[in-house]
Each structure stands twice: as structure tokens, then as C-alpha cells.
Amino acid sequence: MDDYKKAADTIREKGYVVAFTGAGISVDSGIPTFRGGQGLWEKYDPMEYAHIGSFSRDPQKVWVMLREMAQVIFDSSPSPAHIALNELEQKGYLKAVITQNVDGLHQIAGNSSVIEYHGNHRRLVCMNCSKKIPFTPEVVGIMPYPNCEKCNSALKPDVVFFGEGIPMLAMVRANEEANKCKVMIIIGTSGVVYPAAEIPYTSKAMGATIIEINPESTPFTSSITDMFFKGSASDILPKILKNI
Ligand code: APR
Ligand code: ZN
């Protein structure tokens, strides 16, 4: 039996599926990953551009990267992998997506239960009064950066910077789903950023079957992964869905 069929049989038999996704699922949407060859962090030092301390010190400098990221996100659309995850929800198996991504593409692909563990780049939040507004292409051009209309403080994308905590509700929901799921599909993450990377280990400890899709192996592969698919999510996920 081919591996795609095996994975599909497991999904059908065990039923409660949760996806844990990282930047790799959005590569085919035109959004670069963070690490590896063309990663964003090769171009921008994350400690200088993605740490909350750097943003507070020099928002204008950090907004150079934030603007570039926003443009790429606004120009992106769901990959075949995002589409396949929506199909898996429509078929009644996928109950939640826990994503580290901030591109909002799972929601655009149609998934209804998306836990934004690192926030969402399509919203802006005020550093002072926490007022939130949509981050739209009209706003991206405001120089040197957008300010809060209520208190005039600098606005930042509603994403988790290094040095910031995970939104409490996202943390609670992610833990609930990680504990409940019978199958976790890990898609396109290097598994090196915590506390997010803890999530698949929780599911494994609760007896879930771990399916992993990535062109490279990761810390999950040799420790908790039961079925490893080496390759692109946009190629592999639709082949699994074809068997369901
Ligand atoms: N399909 C599946 N996986 C892919 C593909 C693809 N087409 N292309 C690349 N990958 C894999 C890479 O092999 C790598 O393991 O995607 C992973 C991307 O890793 P990272 O760039 O580290 O992204 P991610 O794991 O999501 O980073 C986690 O780090 O910087 C923070 O907040 C940021 O949410 C991000 C977190
Ligand atoms: Zn404000």
C-alpha cells in the first residue's frame, strides 16, 4: 500500500485531526520562510528587526521590514496545501489548524478553526492603548509608520515579536486541541521556536499519530514522527486527500 493511502486510512480511522503549520506551507503562496537559504532572517537580523525591544527603540527601522512582509502577504493567495487543509475540514476530519504563520492564508482558504499562535499580520495594534485596526494596502504606505488615531502611539502588526508572550487565548486553545487530537499533521516548520514547538510533543504524549511533511528532516522527525513525507506540502497534501 502506498504511503499516501496509509496516511489517509489513518486519518479516516482515527478521525480527530489537527494541523500544526509553519512557514513552509506558504512557500508556494510566494511567502519566504524565515530560516534556510532565502529565509527572511538571512536578510533581516531577527534580533534587530523582530524583537519587541528593537521595535520600541526604533519603530521606523523595523517598519522597513514590516512593510516588505506586508506587501508579500497582501500579494499572496492560498497554496494547494492550504486548499487541501480546507478540504480535510469540509470532509469532517480536520478540527483545527494551529498555525505559527501570520499570513491569514488558512482563513482565506476556508478553514474555520484557526489558532493564530503568533498573531496575524493583517491586523495592527497600538503599542500603548491596544486599539486594533485592519492592516490594509492603504495603510502600508503611511510614512514613516502608521500611528494610533486614538492616542497617536506607533502601531505594529498584531504579531508576536521575539520577547513577547503568546496570546493567552491562542495558548489555551492550542493546548486543548493538542491534547484532544488523534492525528497531528506537522506541515512546513523547522520546529525550533518555542513554546510553539512544544505542541506536537504534547499530542504525541497523548497518543496521537504524528504525520510530518517537510523537504528536510526536523527535530520532530527522528523523535515523534510516525509517518514522514519528504517534499513539498503543495505536492504531498493533495495526494493524501485524494485517498480520503
Ligand atoms: N513544503 C513544506 N515545508 C517546506 C517547504 C514546502 N514547500 N519549503 C520549505 N519548507 C520547510 C523548511 O524545510 C523548514 O523546515 O518549512 C520550514 C520553515 O522553517 P522556518 O523558516 O523556521 O519557519 P517556521 O518553522 O514556521 O518558524 C517558526 O519562527 O521566526 C519565527 O515567528 C516566526 O512563526 C515563525 C517561527
Ligand atoms: Zn492607541
Side-chain angles (χ1 to χ4, degrees), residues 102-133:
V102 296
D103 54 36
L105 290 175
H106 287 300
Q107 292 92 323
I108 293 171
N111 281 112
S112 59
S113 175
V114 180
I115 299 166
E116 298 176 324
Y117 208 74
H118 290 158
N120 188 317
H121 207 92
R122 295 176 193 264
R123 284 188 305 269
L124 293 175
V125 61
C126 173
M127 289 287 285
N128 172 49
C129 73
S130 306
K131 179 172 166 44
K132 293 193 182 189
I133 63 165

Side-chain angles (χ1 to χ4, degrees), residues 12-72:
R12 260 201 311 277
E13 272 151 42
K14 301 194 81 177
Y16 197 108
V17 181
V18 166
F20 177 68
T21 66
I25 197 171
S26 298
V27 161
D28 290 341
S29 300
I31 301 175
T33 58
F34 292 98
R35 296 168 186 84
Q38 312 297 322
L40 190 72
W41 298 151
E42 304 299 316
K43 185 173 178 188
Y44 293 106
D45 174 348
M47 286 308 120
E48 254 188 80
Y49 283 91
H51 195 284
I52 191 64
S54 325
F55 184 87
S56 310
R57 260 191 317 280
D58 188 350
Q60 183 163 342
K61 174 180 170 190
V62 174
W63 260 100
V64 169
M65 180 209 57
L66 295 174
R67 196 169 288 114
E68 184 179 309
M69 237 179 120
Q71 208 45 65
V72 167

Side-chain angles (χ1 to χ4, degrees), residues 22-24 33-35 41 100 118 162 188-190 193 214-216 232-233:
T33 58
F34 292 98
R35 296 168 186 84
W41 298 151
Q100 301 169 92
H118 290 158
F162 289 108
T189 180
S190 55
V193 172
N214 197 317
E216 318 278 330
S232 159

Side-chain angles (χ1 to χ4, degrees), residues 126-131 147-155:
C126 173
M127 289 287 285
N128 172 49
C129 73
S130 306
K131 179 172 166 44
N147 287 78
C148 175
E149 59 193 24
K150 226 169 106 193
C151 72
N152 203 34
S153 302
L155 293 178

